Amino acid sequence: MGEVGYLTIAIDGPAGAGKGTLARRLADHYRLNLLDTGLTYRAVAHALLRVGLPLDNVSAAETAARQVDLAKLDRTVLSAHAVGEAASKVAVFPSVRRILVEKQRDFAKSPPGAVLDGRDIGTVVCPDADIKLYVTASAEVRAQRRLAEIESIGGTANLSEILADIVRRDERDMGRADSPLKPAADAHLLDTSEMAIEAAFLAAKSIIDDVMAKRDKA
Ligand code: C5P
């Protein structure tokens, strides 16, 4: 088991690969706590945007990070596209990351264990996680999914602009010096480009059940 004896499932991957939905399905199935760590970076960005502070104000970002309460993350407010973009800008600051990572680790240690999804869970936050999944999909597929999501709630958007946004965010997340997005050496890769969520869930479940069965035998 993870560091403290509880089950930890780490899910990383780029924006729009389906890791959030997969994390929720797995947390329900294995009855584990769930933390979308992207919301913690979004909460910091949102706090700065709300009072009109620039996103490169590191000390304000650190203060906002200290004030993040994992029990009070409001997905409705934080899910706005602009907040995600801003989150990837405050996420480059090592001091902000350190503060949030500490809260995320504490969360992972609570019984009965947790599914955490983000960019650095398997590499930095929970390097001893029992199971690490790296969920990815081509940028084109992720852009198509995002467009369908926007249209399903009556919105309109331009596919090539969404694609450009996704590519830019990938570059920022994979290119930063501190905790860049990358699969942990021991992560199981799951490419969901041609997989519906149910198939991705079944594939992940089979990986997890396999790891747990081997561990029980050991
Ligand atoms: O996953 P989500 O789109 O909500 O994440 C918003 C941004 O927060 C990401 O683009 C990334 O820059 C940052 N993030 C991070 N590490 C995590 C989770 C999110 O740097 N563990």
Side-chain angles (χ1 to χ4, degrees):
M1 292 246 173
E3 300 89 308
V4 286
Y6 301 120
L7 184 69
T8 309
I9 300 178
I11 306 185
D12 291 302
K19 61 187 189 309
T21 315
L22 180 62
R24 205 171 323 118
R25 288 287 314 267
L26 293 173
D28 281 351
H29 181 78
Y30 293 101
R31 296 176 192 280
L32 296 168
N33 298 323
L34 172 64
L35 180 63
D36 171 356
T37 61
L39 290 179
T40 64
Y41 291 91
R42 285 172 180 259
V44 172
H46 183 253
L48 299 190
L49 293 173
R50 206 181 43 212
V51 293
L53 282 170
L55 296 165
D56 60 358
N57 184 330
V58 187
S59 75
E62 288 167 6
T63 304
R66 276 188 212 99
Q67 286 167 354
V68 166
D69 180 345
L70 299 191
K72 289 189 185 150
L73 296 167
D74 184 346
R75 180 175 294 278
T76 323
V77 173
L78 300 177
S79 65
H81 180 68
V83 179
E85 184 71 17
S88 71
K89 294 183 181 160
V90 298
V92 301
F93 298 123
S95 56
V96 171
R97 301 198 68 85
R98 269 199 304 278
I99 295 164
L100 295 179
V101 165
E102 199 175 319
K103 292 175 195 258
Q104 296 161 8
R105 284 186 180 143
D106 282 347
F107 181 92
K109 283 182 203 153
S110 307
V115 180
L116 292 92
D117 77 275
R119 305 289 189 290
D120 59 342
I121 310 301
T123 50
V124 175
V125 180
C126 301
D128 297 327
D130 302 273
I131 291 115
K132 299 181 186 178
L133 301 172
Y134 189 85
V135 183
T136 186
S138 72
E140 289 72 20
V141 167
R142 289 186 280 136
Q144 289 280 4
R145 285 181 189 158
R146 174 89 190 113
L147 180 64
E149 204 178 285
I150 293 169
E151 290 177 344
S152 75
I153 51 169
T156 49
N158 175 298
L159 182 63
S160 56
E161 278 171 22
I162 297 178
L163 182 58
D165 261 16
I166 283 184
V167 169
R168 201 171 48 237
R169 182 112 76 94
D170 283 358
E171 280 170 2
R172 200 177 293 136
D173 287 348
M174 293 174 181
R176 68 179 173 229
D178 187 349
S179 316
L181 169 64
K182 63 172 181 200
D186 52 350
H188 299 266
L189 302 187
L190 206 60
D191 187 333
T192 67
S193 301
E194 295 181 12
M195 243 185 222
I197 179 60
E198 190 56 23
F201 167 71
L202 292 174
K205 183 177 163 315
S206 124
I207 292 168
I208 295 167
D209 290 346
D210 216 39
V211 170
M212 285 168 63
K214 281 195 189 117
R215 197 187 52 191
D216 287 346
K217 267 193 220 147

